[in-house]
Amino acid sequence: MKIGISLPVREMRDDLIAIKDFAQAAEELGLTHLRVPDQVFRKNSGHLHEPMMLLSYIAAVTSKIELVPSVIVLPTRQTVLFAKQAAELDRLSQGRVRLGIGVGGSVEEYESMGVNFRQRGRRCSEQMLLLKQLWCGESVQGGTRYDAISPDVYLDPLPVQQPIPMWIGGAGVPSESVRRRIGELADGWFVLCDPSQFTDVRDSINSYAVEAGRDSAMLGMEAGVAVVGPRKDEWQERVTGWQELGLTHLCLRTLGGGIELADHIPTMRNAVAELPV
């Protein structure tokens, strides 16, 4: 099981030294990936950097750790432009990008971007297909029901990874349409359900993968575990539990626990030292 960590970006705000030090410390500790949340606009949401820009900065000060925006609200973004941005980040980081994507649930965010909220699921599925074509150097013509694309659109330079892996994040228990999208189109999914619900959700997703002619064993699965806050005394037990359920990835979190900014790196170091896996 690969172990990564979330960047406590809300707590660090504009402290670029703190962001750099945390990312570099995570890499030095052998953590495999760094996750950053996405949000372009949401009323009263607070301070949050745009993840592709932030990860470009982190790519320049690290060399090994995987860069994971999780999750990009994909339908709010113009497909060809996002394909170019993701390809650039993957190229400039030498193939270290794993994209978390989802459809979100904020009507206000969609309205602010001029995108139809009710079409977000269908649009997301079509975007995923277009992104894969663009990242693999294929010429895309005509677009889809939701993206009008001029003839002979293609990317240059292409990403290192062709295509860049896309993992889907949804609600705690994903809707049937999201499970189908994961099974048919994604490379993995972010597990937000309770462990007691996990097996049913996983089996449903895997069945859609098999129906689509895909190998369900190739789908990655990642859950998160907070090492601070009200459940900090049980985090090791939760890590062991997720490993026993067969997850491929796990994300530790020092964010949201009310600790001081200077305590995030020591807390991360202690957690890595005490990992039960």
Side-chain angles (χ1 to χ4, degrees):
M1 185 167 65
K2 295 182 177 180
I3 308 290
I5 195 159
S6 288
L7 179 72
V9 62
R10 289 187 189 274
E11 289 89 339
M12 292 180 172
R13 297 177 66 86
D14 299 323
D15 191 334
L16 297 183
I17 299 301
I19 291 170
K20 174 178 69 70
D21 288 348
F22 188 93
Q24 290 178 339
E27 185 170 78
E28 290 166 4
L29 287 167
L31 292 169
T32 60
H33 57 283
L34 187 70
R35 283 175 55 174
V36 177
D38 175 44
Q39 192 171 286
V40 175
F41 170 81
R42 201 169 302 162
K43 190 175 180 180
N44 300 322
S45 65
H47 186 286
L48 189 64
H49 291 289
E50 196 284 321
M52 302 300 283
M53 294 295 291
L54 182 61
L55 288 172
S56 295
Y57 169 72
I58 293 171
V61 298
T62 57
S63 60
K64 295 181 294 185
I65 199 163
E66 187 179 49
L67 309 174
V68 188
S70 62
V71 298
I72 297 289
V73 184
L74 186 60
T76 65
R77 304 204 176 209
Q78 202 282 334
T79 308
V80 176
L81 175 58
F82 182 71
K84 179 71 171 181
Q85 291 172 324
E88 287 291 325
L89 181 59
D90 193 63
R91 173 66 61 178
L92 296 174
S93 67
Q94 299 181 310
R96 290 191 281 138
V97 176
R98 172 164 55 101
L99 288 171
I101 62 170
V103 299
S106 170
V107 176
E108 286 181 332
E109 190 166 17
Y110 275 80
E111 289 177 345
S112 73
M113 303 291 283
V115 179
N116 189 316
F117 179 79
R118 297 182 64 183
Q119 296 175 342
R120 66 195 190 282
R122 295 186 296 274
R123 176 172 163 81
C124 184
S125 294
E126 293 194 354
Q127 286 180 294
M128 292 179 72
L129 292 170
L130 280 173
L131 289 171
K132 290 181 181 183
Q133 288 178 272
L134 288 164
W135 290 330
C136 290
E138 299 176 24
S139 175
V140 175
Q141 301 183 28
T144 69
R145 288 175 293 177
Y146 310 107
D147 279 283
I149 298 176
S150 299
D152 299 321
V153 170
Y154 62 93
L155 296 182
D156 188 6
L158 291 170
V160 174
Q161 302 176 94
Q162 299 178 19
I164 298 169
M166 288 183 283
W167 287 42
I168 289 178
V173 177
S175 67
E176 205 67 29
S177 61
V178 173
R179 297 185 203 190
R180 179 184 293 276
R181 189 174 304 118
I182 295 169
E184 292 179 348
L185 298 172
D187 299 287
W189 55 290
F190 295 104
V191 180
L192 301 178
C193 63
D194 186 87
S196 64
Q197 302 166 313
F198 169 75
T199 300
D200 288 343
V201 174
R202 179 201 60 199
D203 291 350
S204 174
I205 289 170
N206 287 350
S207 68
Y208 284 122
V210 171
E211 286 179 16
R214 306 180 71 204
D215 181 0
S216 62
M218 300 302 292
L219 288 177
M221 301 170 289
E222 178 170 342
V225 172
V227 300
V228 295
R231 302 185 68 179
K232 65 180 181 181
D233 292 334
E234 58 184 78
W235 75 266
Q236 291 168 303
E237 180 183 346
R238 296 179 66 212
V239 168
T240 301
W242 283 121
Q243 184 181 39
E244 291 173 350
L245 285 170
L247 263 65
T248 59
H249 294 63
L250 193 80
C251 184
L252 304 177
R253 294 196 301 268
T254 65
L255 55 82
I259 63 176
E260 296 294 327
L261 180 59
D263 292 333
H264 283 277
I265 291 178
T267 300
M268 172 174 58
R269 291 188 187 280
N270 290 338
V272 171
E274 297 170 1
L275 276 169
V277 296

